[in-house]
Short mmCIF file of all heavy atoms in Angstrom, two decimals:
data_model
loop_
_atom_site.label_atom_id
_atom_site.label_comp_id
_atom_site.label_asym_id
_atom_site.label_seq_id
_atom_site.Cartn_x
_atom_site.Cartn_y
_atom_site.Cartn_z
N MET S 1 -57.05 -7.91 178.44
CA MET S 1 -57.70 -6.84 179.19
C MET S 1 -56.69 -6.13 180.08
O MET S 1 -55.83 -6.78 180.66
CB MET S 1 -58.81 -7.41 180.07
CG MET S 1 -60.16 -7.36 179.39
SD MET S 1 -61.47 -7.76 180.50
CE MET S 1 -61.69 -9.48 180.09
N PRO S 2 -56.80 -4.84 180.15
CA PRO S 2 -55.86 -4.11 181.01
C PRO S 2 -56.13 -4.38 182.48
O PRO S 2 -57.26 -4.60 182.90
CB PRO S 2 -56.13 -2.64 180.66
CG PRO S 2 -57.51 -2.62 180.13
CD PRO S 2 -57.74 -3.96 179.49
N ASN S 3 -55.08 -4.33 183.21
CA ASN S 3 -55.18 -4.56 184.65
C ASN S 3 -54.87 -3.24 185.35
O ASN S 3 -53.77 -2.72 185.23
CB ASN S 3 -54.17 -5.64 185.05
CG ASN S 3 -54.42 -6.14 186.45
OD1 ASN S 3 -55.42 -5.84 187.07
ND2 ASN S 3 -53.50 -6.89 186.96
N TYR S 4 -55.86 -2.71 186.01
CA TYR S 4 -55.69 -1.43 186.66
C TYR S 4 -55.45 -1.61 188.14
O TYR S 4 -56.01 -2.51 188.76
CB TYR S 4 -56.93 -0.56 186.48
CG TYR S 4 -57.20 -0.17 185.06
CD1 TYR S 4 -58.10 -0.90 184.30
CD2 TYR S 4 -56.57 0.92 184.49
CE1 TYR S 4 -58.36 -0.55 182.99
CE2 TYR S 4 -56.81 1.27 183.18
CZ TYR S 4 -57.71 0.54 182.43
OH TYR S 4 -57.97 0.88 181.14
N GLN S 5 -54.65 -0.71 188.66
CA GLN S 5 -54.50 -0.69 190.10
C GLN S 5 -55.22 0.54 190.62
O GLN S 5 -55.11 1.63 190.06
CB GLN S 5 -53.03 -0.65 190.52
CG GLN S 5 -52.88 -0.79 192.02
CD GLN S 5 -51.43 -0.80 192.47
OE1 GLN S 5 -50.54 -0.38 191.75
NE2 GLN S 5 -51.20 -1.26 193.68
N TYR S 6 -55.95 0.33 191.68
CA TYR S 6 -56.71 1.43 192.28
C TYR S 6 -56.26 1.64 193.71
O TYR S 6 -55.76 0.72 194.36
CB TYR S 6 -58.20 1.10 192.30
CG TYR S 6 -58.82 0.94 190.94
CD1 TYR S 6 -58.84 -0.30 190.32
CD2 TYR S 6 -59.40 2.03 190.30
CE1 TYR S 6 -59.41 -0.45 189.06
CE2 TYR S 6 -59.97 1.88 189.05
CZ TYR S 6 -59.98 0.65 188.43
OH TYR S 6 -60.54 0.49 187.21
N ILE S 7 -56.50 2.84 194.16
CA ILE S 7 -56.30 3.11 195.59
C ILE S 7 -57.56 3.75 196.12
O ILE S 7 -58.15 4.64 195.48
CB ILE S 7 -55.06 3.99 195.84
CG1 ILE S 7 -54.85 4.17 197.34
CG2 ILE S 7 -55.15 5.33 195.12
CD1 ILE S 7 -53.51 4.79 197.70
N CYS S 8 -57.99 3.27 197.25
CA CYS S 8 -59.18 3.81 197.89
C CYS S 8 -58.81 5.09 198.63
O CYS S 8 -57.88 5.11 199.44
CB CYS S 8 -59.76 2.78 198.85
SG CYS S 8 -61.16 3.41 199.79
N LYS S 9 -59.52 6.16 198.32
CA LYS S 9 -59.22 7.44 198.96
C LYS S 9 -59.77 7.49 200.37
O LYS S 9 -59.48 8.39 201.14
CB LYS S 9 -59.80 8.59 198.12
CG LYS S 9 -59.00 8.77 196.83
CD LYS S 9 -59.37 10.05 196.12
CE LYS S 9 -60.62 9.84 195.29
NZ LYS S 9 -60.91 11.01 194.42
N LYS S 10 -60.60 6.53 200.69
CA LYS S 10 -61.23 6.54 202.00
C LYS S 10 -60.37 5.82 203.04
O LYS S 10 -60.12 6.33 204.13
CB LYS S 10 -62.60 5.88 201.91
CG LYS S 10 -63.58 6.40 202.93
CD LYS S 10 -64.98 5.89 202.57
CE LYS S 10 -66.00 6.41 203.56
NZ LYS S 10 -67.35 5.91 203.24
N CYS S 11 -59.91 4.62 202.67
CA CYS S 11 -59.16 3.83 203.64
C CYS S 11 -57.72 3.59 203.20
O CYS S 11 -56.93 3.05 203.96
CB CYS S 11 -59.87 2.51 203.91
SG CYS S 11 -59.81 1.35 202.54
N GLY S 12 -57.38 3.98 201.96
CA GLY S 12 -56.01 3.83 201.51
C GLY S 12 -55.66 2.46 200.99
O GLY S 12 -54.52 2.18 200.66
N LYS S 13 -56.67 1.59 200.88
CA LYS S 13 -56.44 0.24 200.38
C LYS S 13 -56.10 0.26 198.89
O LYS S 13 -56.77 0.91 198.11
CB LYS S 13 -57.71 -0.59 200.61
CG LYS S 13 -57.71 -1.94 199.94
CD LYS S 13 -56.88 -2.95 200.68
CE LYS S 13 -57.02 -4.33 200.03
NZ LYS S 13 -56.12 -5.31 200.66
N LYS S 14 -55.04 -0.46 198.53
CA LYS S 14 -54.70 -0.60 197.12
C LYS S 14 -55.17 -1.96 196.64
O LYS S 14 -55.01 -2.95 197.33
CB LYS S 14 -53.19 -0.48 196.91
CG LYS S 14 -52.65 0.92 197.13
CD LYS S 14 -51.15 0.92 196.92
CE LYS S 14 -50.56 2.29 197.23
NZ LYS S 14 -49.08 2.27 197.16
N PHE S 15 -55.74 -1.98 195.45
CA PHE S 15 -56.21 -3.25 194.93
C PHE S 15 -56.18 -3.23 193.41
O PHE S 15 -56.19 -2.18 192.78
CB PHE S 15 -57.62 -3.57 195.44
CG PHE S 15 -58.66 -2.55 195.06
CD1 PHE S 15 -59.51 -2.77 193.99
CD2 PHE S 15 -58.80 -1.37 195.78
CE1 PHE S 15 -60.48 -1.84 193.63
CE2 PHE S 15 -59.75 -0.43 195.43
CZ PHE S 15 -60.60 -0.67 194.36
N PHE S 16 -56.14 -4.43 192.83
CA PHE S 16 -56.14 -4.57 191.38
C PHE S 16 -57.52 -4.94 190.89
O PHE S 16 -58.27 -5.65 191.58
CB PHE S 16 -55.16 -5.66 190.95
CG PHE S 16 -53.73 -5.24 191.06
CD1 PHE S 16 -52.98 -5.60 192.17
CD2 PHE S 16 -53.13 -4.49 190.06
CE1 PHE S 16 -51.65 -5.21 192.28
CE2 PHE S 16 -51.80 -4.11 190.16
CZ PHE S 16 -51.06 -4.47 191.27
N CYS S 17 -57.84 -4.46 189.71
CA CYS S 17 -59.10 -4.83 189.10
C CYS S 17 -58.92 -4.87 187.59
O CYS S 17 -58.41 -3.93 187.00
CB CYS S 17 -60.18 -3.81 189.47
SG CYS S 17 -61.82 -4.30 188.95
N THR S 18 -59.30 -5.97 187.00
CA THR S 18 -59.20 -6.10 185.55
C THR S 18 -60.54 -5.76 184.92
O THR S 18 -61.54 -6.42 185.18
CB THR S 18 -58.79 -7.52 185.16
OG1 THR S 18 -57.56 -7.83 185.80
CG2 THR S 18 -58.60 -7.63 183.67
N THR S 19 -60.56 -4.72 184.12
CA THR S 19 -61.79 -4.31 183.46
C THR S 19 -61.50 -4.01 182.00
O THR S 19 -60.36 -3.80 181.61
CB THR S 19 -62.37 -3.04 184.10
OG1 THR S 19 -61.45 -1.98 183.95
CG2 THR S 19 -62.68 -3.24 185.56
N THR S 20 -62.52 -3.96 181.21
CA THR S 20 -62.36 -3.48 179.85
C THR S 20 -62.24 -1.96 179.89
O THR S 20 -62.58 -1.32 180.89
CB THR S 20 -63.57 -3.85 178.97
OG1 THR S 20 -64.71 -3.16 179.47
CG2 THR S 20 -63.83 -5.34 178.99
N ILE S 21 -61.78 -1.39 178.78
CA ILE S 21 -61.64 0.06 178.71
C ILE S 21 -63.01 0.71 178.94
O ILE S 21 -63.15 1.69 179.65
CB ILE S 21 -61.09 0.50 177.34
CG1 ILE S 21 -59.68 -0.06 177.15
CG2 ILE S 21 -61.09 2.01 177.20
CD1 ILE S 21 -58.63 0.55 178.03
N HIS S 22 -64.02 0.12 178.33
CA HIS S 22 -65.36 0.67 178.45
C HIS S 22 -65.84 0.66 179.89
O HIS S 22 -66.33 1.65 180.42
CB HIS S 22 -66.33 -0.12 177.57
CG HIS S 22 -67.73 0.40 177.62
ND1 HIS S 22 -68.10 1.60 177.06
CD2 HIS S 22 -68.85 -0.12 178.16
CE1 HIS S 22 -69.39 1.80 177.27
NE2 HIS S 22 -69.88 0.77 177.94
N GLU S 23 -65.65 -0.47 180.54
CA GLU S 23 -66.06 -0.57 181.93
C GLU S 23 -65.28 0.40 182.80
O GLU S 23 -65.82 1.00 183.72
CB GLU S 23 -65.82 -2.00 182.44
CG GLU S 23 -66.88 -2.98 181.98
CD GLU S 23 -66.58 -4.38 182.47
OE1 GLU S 23 -65.42 -4.67 182.79
OE2 GLU S 23 -67.52 -5.18 182.51
N HIS S 24 -64.02 0.54 182.46
CA HIS S 24 -63.17 1.43 183.25
C HIS S 24 -63.68 2.86 183.20
O HIS S 24 -63.60 3.60 184.17
CB HIS S 24 -61.74 1.35 182.72
CG HIS S 24 -60.80 2.25 183.44
ND1 HIS S 24 -60.44 2.05 184.76
CD2 HIS S 24 -60.15 3.37 183.05
CE1 HIS S 24 -59.61 3.00 185.12
NE2 HIS S 24 -59.41 3.82 184.12
N GLU S 25 -64.21 3.26 182.05
CA GLU S 25 -64.65 4.64 181.89
C GLU S 25 -66.08 4.87 182.34
O GLU S 25 -66.49 5.99 182.58
CB GLU S 25 -64.49 5.06 180.43
CG GLU S 25 -63.01 5.12 180.04
CD GLU S 25 -62.82 5.67 178.64
OE1 GLU S 25 -63.84 5.85 177.94
OE2 GLU S 25 -61.68 5.92 178.28
N THR S 26 -66.84 3.81 182.42
CA THR S 26 -68.25 4.00 182.74
C THR S 26 -68.58 3.69 184.20
O THR S 26 -69.56 4.18 184.72
CB THR S 26 -69.14 3.12 181.84
OG1 THR S 26 -68.69 1.77 181.92
CG2 THR S 26 -69.10 3.61 180.41
N ARG S 27 -67.76 2.88 184.81
CA ARG S 27 -68.06 2.60 186.20
C ARG S 27 -66.78 2.33 186.97
O ARG S 27 -65.83 1.79 186.43
CB ARG S 27 -69.00 1.41 186.32
CG ARG S 27 -68.37 0.10 185.85
CD ARG S 27 -69.35 -1.04 186.01
NE ARG S 27 -68.70 -2.31 185.70
CZ ARG S 27 -69.37 -3.46 185.58
NH1 ARG S 27 -70.67 -3.48 185.73
NH2 ARG S 27 -68.72 -4.57 185.33
N LYS S 28 -66.83 2.71 188.21
CA LYS S 28 -65.66 2.51 189.04
C LYS S 28 -65.88 1.30 189.93
O LYS S 28 -66.99 1.02 190.37
CB LYS S 28 -65.41 3.76 189.90
CG LYS S 28 -64.84 4.91 189.11
CD LYS S 28 -64.37 6.00 190.03
CE LYS S 28 -63.59 7.06 189.25
NZ LYS S 28 -63.04 8.09 190.15
N PRO S 29 -64.80 0.59 190.20
CA PRO S 29 -64.92 -0.56 191.09
C PRO S 29 -65.07 -0.08 192.53
O PRO S 29 -64.82 1.08 192.84
CB PRO S 29 -63.59 -1.29 190.90
CG PRO S 29 -62.63 -0.21 190.52
CD PRO S 29 -63.44 0.79 189.73
N ARG S 30 -65.47 -1.01 193.34
CA ARG S 30 -65.61 -0.68 194.76
C ARG S 30 -64.41 -1.21 195.52
O ARG S 30 -63.86 -2.25 195.21
CB ARG S 30 -66.89 -1.28 195.32
CG ARG S 30 -68.13 -0.61 194.78
CD ARG S 30 -69.32 -0.89 195.66
NE ARG S 30 -69.39 -2.31 196.07
CZ ARG S 30 -70.41 -2.81 196.76
NH1 ARG S 30 -71.42 -2.03 197.07
NH2 ARG S 30 -70.42 -4.06 197.10
N CYS S 31 -64.09 -0.48 196.55
CA CYS S 31 -63.02 -0.92 197.43
C CYS S 31 -63.42 -2.23 198.11
O CYS S 31 -64.50 -2.33 198.66
CB CYS S 31 -62.77 0.16 198.48
SG CYS S 31 -61.61 -0.35 199.76
N PRO S 32 -62.54 -3.24 198.02
CA PRO S 32 -62.88 -4.53 198.64
C PRO S 32 -62.87 -4.47 200.17
O PRO S 32 -63.38 -5.38 200.83
CB PRO S 32 -61.77 -5.46 198.11
CG PRO S 32 -60.63 -4.55 197.79
CD PRO S 32 -61.25 -3.24 197.35
N LYS S 33 -62.30 -3.42 200.68
CA LYS S 33 -62.19 -3.34 202.13
C LYS S 33 -63.36 -2.59 202.76
O LYS S 33 -63.97 -3.06 203.70
CB LYS S 33 -60.86 -2.66 202.51
CG LYS S 33 -60.56 -2.70 203.98
CD LYS S 33 -59.19 -2.08 204.26
CE LYS S 33 -58.90 -2.10 205.76
NZ LYS S 33 -57.63 -1.42 206.07
N CYS S 34 -63.68 -1.42 202.21
CA CYS S 34 -64.72 -0.61 202.84
C CYS S 34 -65.91 -0.37 201.90
O CYS S 34 -66.83 0.35 202.24
CB CYS S 34 -64.13 0.71 203.32
SG CYS S 34 -63.64 1.82 202.00
N SER S 35 -65.86 -0.97 200.69
CA SER S 35 -66.96 -0.87 199.72
C SER S 35 -67.23 0.56 199.25
O SER S 35 -68.30 0.84 198.74
CB SER S 35 -68.24 -1.48 200.29
OG SER S 35 -68.03 -2.85 200.56
N SER S 36 -66.24 1.42 199.38
CA SER S 36 -66.41 2.79 198.92
C SER S 36 -66.14 2.90 197.43
O SER S 36 -65.32 2.17 196.87
CB SER S 36 -65.44 3.69 199.68
OG SER S 36 -65.42 4.97 199.10
N HIS S 37 -66.84 3.80 196.77
CA HIS S 37 -66.57 4.07 195.36
C HIS S 37 -65.55 5.18 195.19
O HIS S 37 -65.22 5.57 194.07
CB HIS S 37 -67.86 4.47 194.64
CG HIS S 37 -68.72 3.29 194.31
ND1 HIS S 37 -68.50 2.48 193.23
CD2 HIS S 37 -69.79 2.78 194.95
CE1 HIS S 37 -69.41 1.52 193.21
NE2 HIS S 37 -70.20 1.67 194.25
N ALA S 38 -65.07 5.72 196.28
CA ALA S 38 -64.09 6.80 196.23
C ALA S 38 -62.71 6.23 195.95
O ALA S 38 -61.82 6.27 196.78
CB ALA S 38 -64.11 7.59 197.53
N VAL S 39 -62.56 5.67 194.75
CA VAL S 39 -61.28 5.06 194.39
C VAL S 39 -60.63 5.86 193.26
O VAL S 39 -61.30 6.50 192.47
CB VAL S 39 -61.45 3.59 193.97
CG1 VAL S 39 -62.01 2.76 195.11
CG2 VAL S 39 -62.34 3.48 192.74
N GLU S 40 -59.33 5.78 193.22
CA GLU S 40 -58.57 6.52 192.22
C GLU S 40 -57.69 5.53 191.47
O GLU S 40 -57.09 4.65 192.07
CB GLU S 40 -57.71 7.56 192.93
CG GLU S 40 -57.24 8.67 192.02
CD GLU S 40 -56.72 9.82 192.87
OE1 GLU S 40 -55.62 9.67 193.43
OE2 GLU S 40 -57.41 10.85 192.99
N THR S 41 -57.61 5.70 190.17
CA THR S 41 -56.80 4.78 189.37
C THR S 41 -55.33 5.13 189.50
O THR S 41 -54.94 6.29 189.41
CB THR S 41 -57.20 4.87 187.89
OG1 THR S 41 -58.60 4.73 187.78
CG2 THR S 41 -56.51 3.79 187.08
N ILE S 42 -54.53 4.12 189.69
CA ILE S 42 -53.08 4.28 189.57
C ILE S 42 -52.69 3.62 188.26
O ILE S 42 -52.79 2.42 188.10
CB ILE S 42 -52.36 3.59 190.75
CG1 ILE S 42 -52.88 4.12 192.08
CG2 ILE S 42 -50.86 3.80 190.62
CD1 ILE S 42 -52.38 3.31 193.27
N LEU S 43 -52.30 4.41 187.31
CA LEU S 43 -52.03 3.87 185.99
C LEU S 43 -50.83 2.94 186.01
O LEU S 43 -49.81 3.22 186.62
CB LEU S 43 -51.80 5.01 184.99
CG LEU S 43 -53.04 5.84 184.73
CD1 LEU S 43 -52.70 6.98 183.77
CD2 LEU S 43 -54.14 5.00 184.12
N GLN S 44 -50.99 1.85 185.31
CA GLN S 44 -49.94 0.84 185.26
C GLN S 44 -49.58 0.54 183.81
O GLN S 44 -50.34 0.79 182.90
CB GLN S 44 -50.45 -0.46 185.90
CG GLN S 44 -50.82 -0.31 187.35
CD GLN S 44 -49.59 -0.30 188.24
OE1 GLN S 44 -48.81 -1.23 188.24
NE2 GLN S 44 -49.42 0.76 188.98
N GLY S 45 -48.41 0.00 183.62
CA GLY S 45 -48.09 -0.61 182.34
C GLY S 45 -47.44 0.32 181.32
O GLY S 45 -47.24 -0.08 180.20
N PHE S 46 -47.11 1.52 181.69
CA PHE S 46 -46.49 2.40 180.72
C PHE S 46 -45.11 1.90 180.30
O PHE S 46 -44.68 2.12 179.19
CB PHE S 46 -46.36 3.83 181.28
CG PHE S 46 -47.63 4.59 181.22
CD1 PHE S 46 -48.28 5.01 182.37
CD2 PHE S 46 -48.20 4.90 179.99
CE1 PHE S 46 -49.47 5.70 182.31
CE2 PHE S 46 -49.39 5.60 179.92
CZ PHE S 46 -50.03 6.01 181.08
N PHE S 47 -44.47 1.21 181.20
CA PHE S 47 -43.16 0.64 180.87
C PHE S 47 -43.27 -0.33 179.69
O PHE S 47 -42.38 -0.43 178.87
CB PHE S 47 -42.54 -0.02 182.09
CG PHE S 47 -43.35 -1.19 182.61
CD1 PHE S 47 -43.11 -2.46 182.14
CD2 PHE S 47 -44.34 -0.99 183.56
CE1 PHE S 47 -43.86 -3.52 182.63
CE2 PHE S 47 -45.09 -2.05 184.05
CZ PHE S 47 -44.84 -3.31 183.57
N ALA S 48 -44.40 -1.02 179.64
CA ALA S 48 -44.60 -2.00 178.57
C ALA S 48 -44.84 -1.29 177.25
O ALA S 48 -44.44 -1.75 176.19
CB ALA S 48 -45.76 -2.90 178.90
N VAL S 49 -45.52 -0.15 177.31
CA VAL S 49 -45.83 0.61 176.10
C VAL S 49 -44.57 1.20 175.50
O VAL S 49 -44.39 1.24 174.30
CB VAL S 49 -46.85 1.73 176.41
CG1 VAL S 49 -47.09 2.60 175.18
CG2 VAL S 49 -48.15 1.13 176.89
N THR S 50 -43.70 1.68 176.36
CA THR S 50 -42.50 2.36 175.88
C THR S 50 -41.36 1.40 175.57
O THR S 50 -40.39 1.77 174.95
CB THR S 50 -42.02 3.42 176.90
OG1 THR S 50 -41.84 2.76 178.15
CG2 THR S 50 -43.03 4.53 177.05
N ALA S 51 -41.50 0.16 176.03
CA ALA S 51 -40.45 -0.82 175.78
C ALA S 51 -40.48 -1.23 174.31
O ALA S 51 -41.47 -1.74 173.81
CB ALA S 51 -40.65 -2.03 176.67
N ARG S 52 -39.41 -0.97 173.62
CA ARG S 52 -39.35 -1.35 172.22
C ARG S 52 -37.92 -1.72 171.84
O ARG S 52 -36.98 -1.28 172.47
CB ARG S 52 -39.86 -0.21 171.33
CG ARG S 52 -39.08 1.07 171.52
CD ARG S 52 -39.65 2.19 170.64
NE ARG S 52 -38.92 3.44 170.87
CZ ARG S 52 -39.22 4.59 170.27
NH1 ARG S 52 -40.21 4.64 169.40
NH2 ARG S 52 -38.53 5.67 170.52
N LYS S 53 -37.85 -2.50 170.82
CA LYS S 53 -36.54 -2.94 170.37
C LYS S 53 -35.85 -1.84 169.60
O LYS S 53 -36.48 -1.15 168.80
CB LYS S 53 -36.68 -4.19 169.50
CG LYS S 53 -37.18 -5.38 170.28
CD LYS S 53 -37.44 -6.57 169.36
CE LYS S 53 -38.02 -7.74 170.14
NZ LYS S 53 -38.45 -8.82 169.25
N THR S 54 -34.59 -1.73 169.82
CA THR S 54 -33.85 -0.70 169.11
C THR S 54 -32.75 -1.34 168.26
O THR S 54 -32.27 -2.39 168.61
CB THR S 54 -33.21 0.31 170.08
OG1 THR S 54 -32.45 -0.41 171.05
CG2 THR S 54 -34.25 1.13 170.76
ZN1 ZN P 1 -61.60 1.56 201.10
#
Protein backbone atom coordinates (compact mmCIF):
# COMPACT_ATOMS: atom_id res chain seq x y z
CA MET A 1 0.00 0.00 0.00
CA PRO A 2 1.26 3.45 -0.76
CA ASN A 3 2.26 5.65 2.09
CA TYR A 4 1.16 9.21 1.68
CA GLN A 5 2.35 12.21 3.53
CA TYR A 6 -0.16 14.92 4.24
CA ILE A 7 0.05 18.42 5.53
CA CYS A 8 -2.76 20.08 7.38
CA LYS A 9 -3.58 23.45 5.86
CA LYS A 10 -5.13 24.55 9.09
CA CYS A 11 -2.39 23.93 11.63
CA GLY A 12 0.54 22.94 9.41
CA LYS A 13 0.89 19.49 10.96
CA LYS A 14 2.57 16.94 8.72
CA PHE A 15 1.59 13.32 9.09
CA PHE A 16 1.75 10.00 7.29
CA CYS A 17 -1.21 7.89 6.36
CA THR A 18 -1.23 4.59 4.55
CA THR A 19 -4.29 4.15 2.38
CA THR A 20 -5.26 2.28 -0.71
CA ILE A 21 -5.47 4.21 -3.97
CA HIS A 22 -9.24 3.98 -3.81
CA GLU A 23 -9.41 5.30 -0.28
CA HIS A 24 -6.98 8.04 -1.17
CA GLU A 25 -9.25 9.29 -3.93
CA THR A 26 -12.55 8.90 -2.16
CA ARG A 27 -11.82 10.21 1.26
CA LYS A 28 -9.29 12.36 2.95
CA PRO A 29 -7.73 11.58 6.28
CA ARG A 30 -8.14 13.84 9.22
CA CYS A 31 -5.41 15.80 10.83
CA PRO A 32 -4.35 13.97 14.01
CA LYS A 33 -3.74 17.27 15.70
CA CYS A 34 -6.80 19.40 14.99
CA SER A 35 -9.10 16.83 13.29
CA SER A 36 -9.47 19.05 10.25
CA HIS A 37 -10.15 17.60 6.82
CA ALA A 38 -8.33 20.51 5.22
CA VAL A 39 -5.31 18.38 4.40
CA GLU A 40 -3.16 18.36 1.32
CA THR A 41 -1.21 15.43 -0.05
CA ILE A 42 2.53 15.69 -0.32
CA LEU A 43 3.42 13.14 -2.94
CA GLN A 44 6.11 10.71 -1.96
CA GLY A 45 8.07 7.95 -3.57
CA PHE A 46 8.82 9.29 -7.03
CA PHE A 47 12.47 8.55 -6.47
CA ALA A 48 11.55 4.89 -6.19
CA VAL A 49 9.58 4.98 -9.44
CA THR A 50 12.40 6.57 -11.40
CA ALA A 51 15.12 4.44 -9.85
CA ARG A 52 16.09 1.83 -12.38
CA LYS A 53 19.08 -0.20 -13.30
CA THR A 54 21.08 0.96 -16.21
ZN1 LIG B 1 -4.39 20.25 11.69
